[in-house]
Amino acid sequence: MASACLPLLLLFSTNTINAFTQQSNLLVNSVRRRQSAPYWNTIGFLSDTYRKEAHIPQRLSSTTDDDTSIIIAGVEVPKSTAKPLGLLLVAQFILFLGVGAVIPTIPLYGKAIGLSSAMNGLVISAPALALLILAKPSGEYADRARKPAMMWGMALIALSDLGTSLASSIIPLVVARIGLGAGRCISESGERGILADLASTIPALRGRVLASQQAVLALGIAFGAPAGGYIVEMYGPRASFLCVTVAALLALMLYNFLPETVDPAPTLNDEKDDDTPIAKVDWGDLLKDSRWRRLSLFEVGAKFGYACKLASIPLIAAQVLPGGAMGAGALLSAAGLSGLLGAPLGGIFVDKFGSRNTLIGTGVLSAAGLMAVPFALGAQDVGAIPTWALFSTSVLTWSLAVAAQSPSTAAFAQEISPEGSEATAMALPRAAGDSVYLFAPFLLGSIADMAGLPSGSECFFAGFCALVGTAAFAVL
């Protein structure tokens, strides 16, 4: 996998300055020529004028007459694909440095302002409301143009995390987290769409392209999580949200230099082509296909594990691991590093064995990791292995499995998505999974607060739900 990702990043780094200069000049010239044009959606306008001047096609083709290529994993990759992909990976790495800093902080922040585990779960689930409501509109918006969705969404993420850092009670905190969900929904729809466009130009490497994104995200979290734990110990939980605000603003700046990969909707100055209808897809029609139903059920089960990671694992880790919050951050950092192994393996398995088989295998392994947590916590030290090491092994097993699972989930969705409506279609299983956040953190927190249950019982429950989702995907 390193051989697949490294050339992309090296290619990006050697061409960054020239690309930024050329694109900046292009945007300035385009704006000067159209100063008298009516004002509309500034970000969309800049994206569209860049696309037209740079002759970016509606669907990136795998080869062009004047394009040069590089060889990655024995496959010829056009630079028109490699360069935007490299820029996207760098922007995502920066963003997830900030996200990593926040992950061990969210439940600790709730505790710091006096929230119970159940109320803490309510705060964590707040973004899911916006994610669920805006999933389909965001997908349709991103199918018209990727960049505006990515940039407006990222701006809202930055604003919402700033609001989170300033919140002092549950009401403004919940409002800020709902805003975060809205920003994520809009931005991620564009990100999934542009990644699908880029991956479609090199189908032989689809799994590894998707895995490269997951590996970059894992690397960002691996570096960001221990930094977040340190920041919490030194400056308090609020400071970590300022870190992700800065990271989101930097990612927003880099997104501005990505090409638009779909034709924008006609403007007042454009002639409408009646022969080119805008493709739309209805979720009800998609759900008539058993593949979309199975994938949606799988996502529902899998999201219980992610809710457990946010609501329960940091709290357990802070109690069990040496170092408190810093120990929890170190565990989440190790989980990110395990993703550097899991994501490449998942990409290779997708390309070799297919996305369906990879989904089933990783789903079973991730469920087993979470279901083992209460047994690890309840066991006495096994020889020279302390209890906290057994707990960490269970968590790392889950993180390794879900890292391998992510490329297969995205690949399966891309394979069955109707052309021209990829973002809208792929938002369906994502919305089904995100709906779990409306109640799962609260439910898991309530299980954790129940007297008489073994420590980590909420993790067992989350793992069981993941296992049920995997079984539904395999047999229905």
Side-chain angles (χ1 to χ4, degrees):
M1 183 60 205
S3 63
C5 294
L6 185 58
L8 294 175
L9 297 176
L10 290 177
L11 177 64
F12 164 73
S13 62
T14 55
N15 288 278
T16 299
I17 296 177
N18 289 337
F20 280 18
T21 302
Q22 293 171 1
Q23 292 170 358
S24 299
N25 291 337
L26 175 63
L27 292 173
V28 171
N29 293 335
S30 299
V31 172
R32 286 175 177 173
R33 286 197 297 270
R34 294 187 57 175
Q35 282 181 338
S36 60
Y39 176 83
W40 71 284
N41 195 324
T42 303
I43 294 180
F45 168 72
L46 295 178
S47 172
D48 299 342
T49 54
Y50 170 76
R51 181 194 57 77
K52 293 175 182 177
E53 296 293 335
H55 307 291
I56 301 297
Q58 179 177 3
R59 296 289 170 200
L60 293 175
S61 60
S62 57
T63 58
T64 58
D65 294 339
D66 58 350
D67 194 22
T68 56
S69 302
I70 60 175
I71 304 299
I72 298 178
V75 178
E76 187 175 299
V77 179
K79 285 188 178 180
S80 60
T81 296
K83 291 171 68 175
L85 181 58
L87 177 56
L88 178 64
L89 293 179
V90 170
Q92 295 262 289
F93 172 73
I94 293 173
L95 174 64
F96 274 79
L97 283 173
V99 172
V102 165
I103 287 177
T105 305
I106 297 174
L108 299 176
Y109 188 25
K111 290 290 185 182
I113 61 176
L115 301 182
S116 66
S117 295
M119 292 303 295
N120 210 13
L122 179 63
V123 172
I124 293 172
S125 67
L129 181 63
L131 286 165
L132 182 62
I133 294 174
L134 296 178
K136 192 170 187 293
S138 296
E140 293 173 346
Y141 180 49
D143 280 329
R144 291 195 293 268
R146 311 297 194 206
K147 278 184 62 176
M150 295 169 65
M151 297 182 70
W152 282 117
M154 194 57 62
L156 186 53
I157 288 173
L159 182 62
S160 299
D161 278 307
L162 177 62
T164 300
S165 70
L166 300 176
S168 58
S169 62
I170 189 169
I171 293 179
L173 183 58
V174 169
V175 171
R177 303 317 285 172
I178 291 175
L180 173 68
R184 281 184 51 200
C185 189
I186 299 169
S187 180
E188 290 175 5
S189 293
E191 291 160 1
R192 287 193 297 270
I194 196 171
L195 191 62
D197 295 338
L198 296 173
S200 67
T201 68
I202 42 175
L205 294 177
R206 184 190 302 272
R208 275 166 278 191
V209 167
L210 298 173
S212 68
Q213 186 202 33
Q214 295 302 318
V216 166
L217 303 191
L219 185 63
I221 291 175
F223 282 104
Y230 174 79
I231 290 170
V232 170
E233 293 287 346
M234 295 297 296
Y235 305 105
R238 297 179 187 274
S240 63
F241 292 98
L242 296 177
C243 295
V244 75
T245 299
V246 173
L249 291 174
L250 292 174
L252 172 63
M253 293 173 59
L254 292 178
Y255 280 173
N256 184 57
F257 294 97
L258 285 169
E260 180 57 73
T261 55
V262 298
D263 280 330
T267 69
L268 295 176
N269 294 331
D270 294 332
E271 294 183 2
K272 184 177 180 180
D273 185 359
D274 294 331
D275 296 330
T276 309
I278 298 175
K280 291 186 177 181
V281 64
D282 184 78
W283 281 2
D285 294 334
L286 291 179
L287 288 173
K288 295 176 182 177
D289 187 335
S290 63
R291 297 173 299 177
W292 285 106
R293 293 196 301 271
R294 291 189 286 116
L295 183 59
S296 297
L297 289 173
F298 182 90
E299 284 282 0
V300 168
K303 284 300 188 290
F304 275 92
Y306 287 96
C308 186
K309 176 186 176 181
L310 292 174
S312 300
I313 289 177
L315 294 176
I316 297 174
Q319 296 170 359
V320 173
L321 298 181
M326 292 188 67
L331 176 60
L332 293 174
S333 175
L337 291 174
S338 72
L340 294 177
L341 174 62
L345 286 176
I348 293 172
F349 290 159
V350 167
D351 292 334
K352 297 293 184 181
F353 306 111
S355 56
R356 181 181 182 276
N357 293 332
T358 306
L359 272 173
I360 294 172
T362 56
V364 171
L365 183 60
S366 65
L370 287 178
M371 294 173 72
V373 167
F375 299 100
L377 294 174
Q380 298 297 323
D381 292 354
V382 180
I385 305 176
T387 299
W388 64 263
L390 296 175
F391 165 72
S392 298
T393 300
S394 299
V395 173
L396 293 176
T397 299
W398 172 82
S399 65
L400 178 68
V402 295
Q405 186 181 102
S406 295
S408 57
T409 305
F412 188 85
Q414 288 184 18
E415 291 165 6
I416 63 177
S417 293
E419 184 176 356
S421 298
E422 292 89 349
T424 305
M426 288 189 292
L428 170 60
R430 184 61 181 264
D434 287 338
S435 67
V436 172
Y437 289 116
L438 290 173
F439 60 90
F442 181 83
L443 176 60
L444 295 175
S446 298
I447 294 174
D449 289 338
M450 288 183 181
L453 290 180
S455 178
S457 294
E458 69 274 26
C459 299
F460 181 91
F461 178 79
F464 178 76
C465 292
L467 186 61
V468 171
T470 302
F473 178 82
V475 302
L476 293 183

